[in-house]
Amino acid sequence: MPIVRNIDVTMQSQVSFDDACRAAVAEAAKTLRGIMSFRVNETECVVEHDRIIAYRVTGKIIFVVER
């Protein structure tokens, strides 16, 4: 049975929550291998002058530890 770890990450996008999730995984993949999932814990919209200017997600990247 493999050892699995997780790290907390936050990513922001001006496009959508979906884009923020994809960017979080892409950024994590630059230094991690074996990513299994991204579990979203929190979503938030950044508002300025009564308009949404950014979408932010916070969650856990779950990955397999290589031996």
Side-chain angles (χ1 to χ4, degrees), residues 14-65:
Q14 294 178 336
V15 178
S16 67
F17 287 119
D18 181 65
D19 189 56
C21 290
R22 292 176 189 279
V25 173
E27 189 64 28
K30 292 178 182 178
T31 57
L32 298 174
R33 288 184 293 212
I35 295 175
M36 297 168 51
S37 65
F38 177 54
R39 183 176 303 143
V40 177
N41 295 334
E42 184 177 331
T43 58
E44 177 183 6
C45 292
V46 180
V47 177
E48 199 172 275
H49 304 292
D50 300 329
R51 292 186 57 224
I52 295 173
I53 62 164
Y55 302 88
R56 189 177 294 153
V57 295
T58 300
K60 294 186 180 300
I61 298 276
I62 294 91
F63 60 98
V64 176
V65 175

